[in-house]
Amino acid sequence: MTISKQIIAQMPKIELHCHLDGSISLETIHKLAKMENIPLPATLEEQQALFIAPEETKDLNEYLEKFHFIGRLLQTTAALELAAFDVVKQASYDNVKYIEVRFAPTLHTMKGLTLQEIVSAVVKGLKRGEVEFGVLSNALLCGMRHEPVENAIEVAKVAKSQLTHGVVGFDLAGNEVDFPPYAFEEAIKVAKDLDIPLTLHAGECHCGKNVYDAVVLGANRIGHGIALKDTPEYIEYIKENEIVLELAPTSNFQTKTVTSWEEYPFKKFLDLGLKVTINTDNRTVSNTTLNKEYAKLAEVYDLTLKDFYKVSCNGVFGAFVDDEVKKELGEIVNEEFEKLNGH
């Protein structure tokens, strides 16, 4: 019997892969547009077409086009703080206990903000949301693959300067096909030399070797990693190194990483003992919530509470926080799942 949506809503969740600019609620988009004096189309349908990807998206690049309009709204410290606060608020509706919100500071410099000002504004919003909604929240900084390697190096250095101030790691995001991990080897090395935890987007585009290469270069976690299903020769290496995989089902279908549930590897990876987690990726662009993602997987694979408990534990394991915080999160997860088991 499929786990009910009511039980799913009560599950304690850890979200490790959520993009700020892809996850802002419609209500807050309206506020931001007003603040920035940027007109929105008249109808809701036209508005949503600007920033929600259709279910039948052609590929990753078409999916990424939906970020352009939102990017224009996020060019001031007030806008960035409000957006970050909004994402934490949404996470609280999914009973998320810990969230890492990622963003690329270089995409928010159109009006002259410095990278430090951008990061400070986002962290301020996350911490305000943490206090108000009780969701422990941190930031991950992304280098963008379509930008020069020097930009990613600069972002890594900013991440290091903020590591004890709400920033917990570094990522590379964007066009993985044309810019595989080794194209950014220099930036990744800088991040590793600075002791910055790394989660790199890889394996989102039928390129399983990118997952392996990202880990060889130093990634602690992998954003998506779906293409591992086509390169089984790397699976044992990923498992042995306890690499956490950040899966996002709706997004993975939209970007054509997979086209059917038969080929989606979530349950296979879970059964093999890989450390899989469930994430939204982009709440707004993918028109989803974490509860929806859990419900979808529960229905397709007839998952048990034990399966979801494992997913939450994997999230705690992969979180870029110290051992003391992990212990606290682990205790919360154990306690809340024990209550659900008692139902």
Side-chain angles (χ1 to χ4, degrees):
M1 191 173 122
T2 303
I3 295 174
S4 72
K5 289 181 180 179
Q6 289 76 14
I7 295 293
I8 284 169
Q10 294 173 56
M11 289 179 188
K13 302 174 188 73
I14 310 292
E15 181 156 28
L16 302 179
H17 196 116
C18 178
H19 289 268
L20 175 70
D21 50 356
S23 299
I24 305 165
S25 68
L26 182 62
E27 179 189 3
T28 297
I29 288 172
H30 276 261
K31 287 180 185 174
L32 292 171
K34 194 172 182 182
M35 283 166 56
E36 303 304 310
N37 202 25
I38 294 174
L40 285 168
T43 70
L44 179 62
E45 189 178 355
E46 290 172 315
Q47 290 169 21
Q48 290 178 330
L50 285 175
F51 40 77
I52 295 179
E55 284 187 32
E56 290 303 316
T57 307
K58 188 172 65 180
D59 55 21
L60 177 61
N61 284 334
E62 185 183 354
Y63 182 84
L64 294 175
E65 287 172 8
K66 296 302 175 181
F67 291 83
H68 296 163
F69 178 79
I70 299 296
R72 293 172 57 207
L73 303 179
L74 299 175
Q75 301 299 327
T76 65
T77 55
L80 288 161
E81 182 185 338
L82 178 59
F85 177 81
D86 175 70
V87 174
V88 181
K89 181 180 181 180
Q90 292 180 70
S92 72
Y93 300 152
D94 288 326
N95 199 27
V96 171
K97 301 302 179 182
Y98 175 71
I99 188 169
E100 290 175 5
V101 179
R102 61 187 73 193
F103 66 102
T106 54
L107 298 181
H108 306 289
T109 58
M110 292 178 193
K111 291 190 175 180
L113 290 179
T114 67
L115 299 187
Q116 290 280 5
E117 287 170 335
I118 291 161
V119 173
S120 295
V122 172
V123 169
K124 188 176 178 184
L126 293 177
K127 294 304 173 183
R128 192 158 64 84
E130 181 179 300
V131 170
E132 184 147 342
F133 304 110
V135 181
L136 186 62
S137 308
N138 283 314
L140 289 165
L141 305 191
C142 301
M144 295 303 297
R145 284 181 152 109
H146 68 276
E147 295 180 358
V149 174
E150 292 74 25
N151 286 20
I153 290 172
E154 190 60 33
V155 170
K157 289 176 178 175
V158 172
K160 176 64 175 180
S161 73
Q162 299 293 315
L163 267 186
T164 56
H165 304 285
V167 173
V168 292
F170 176 76
D171 177 26
L172 286 173
N175 181 350
E176 180 193 352
V177 177
D178 297 322
F179 304 99
Y182 273 99
F184 279 79
E185 184 175 6
E186 187 184 355
I188 295 169
K189 185 178 185 306
V190 168
K192 287 304 289 181
D193 288 347
L194 292 171
D195 288 324
I196 302 169
L198 288 180
T199 172
L200 303 178
H201 279 70
E204 200 179 3
C205 60
H206 311 287
C207 36
K209 189 171 184 298
N210 282 357
V211 178
Y212 174 78
D213 289 346
V215 174
V216 169
L217 286 169
N220 312 90
R221 296 189 338 225
I222 292 294
H224 304 294
I226 302 299
L228 268 179
K229 70 182 177 61
D230 304 318
T231 50
E233 63 270 27
Y234 300 131
I235 287 178
E236 196 57 36
Y237 179 80
I238 299 302
K239 183 178 176 179
E240 283 176 5
N241 285 276
E242 298 188 300
I243 302 302
V244 172
L245 302 177
E246 307 158 356
L247 274 61
T250 298
S251 168
N252 296 151
F253 274 85
Q254 286 177 305
T255 59
K256 293 296 183 284
T257 307
V258 292
T259 56
S260 73
W261 282 110
E262 286 72 32
E263 63 175 322
Y264 196 64
F266 171 82
K267 190 65 163 65
K268 176 187 175 183
F269 286 174
L270 191 69
D271 291 345
L272 285 171
L274 294 176
K275 293 191 177 299
V276 294
T277 61
I278 304 168
N279 306 272
T280 57
D281 197 11
N282 299 286
R283 290 167 176 268
T284 304
V285 174
S286 286
N287 193 23
T288 193
T289 66
L290 204 48
N291 284 341
K292 281 185 183 178
E293 299 298 311
Y294 273 56
K296 196 173 291 184
L297 291 171
E299 184 180 353
V300 171
Y301 299 112
D302 199 22
L303 299 177
T304 64
L305 272 177
K306 187 178 178 182
D307 292 325
F308 283 116
Y309 172 71
K310 197 181 295 184
V311 166
S312 290
C313 290
N314 290 342
V316 173
F317 177 86
F320 289 156
V321 292
D322 62 36
D323 288 344
E324 188 178 335
V325 176
K326 285 190 182 190
K327 184 172 180 288
E328 291 170 6
L329 288 171
E331 288 170 355
I332 291 169
V333 166
N334 286 337
E335 185 181 319
E336 297 202 10
F337 267 101
E338 277 178 20
K339 286 180 185 172
L340 291 174
N341 272 318
H343 277 199

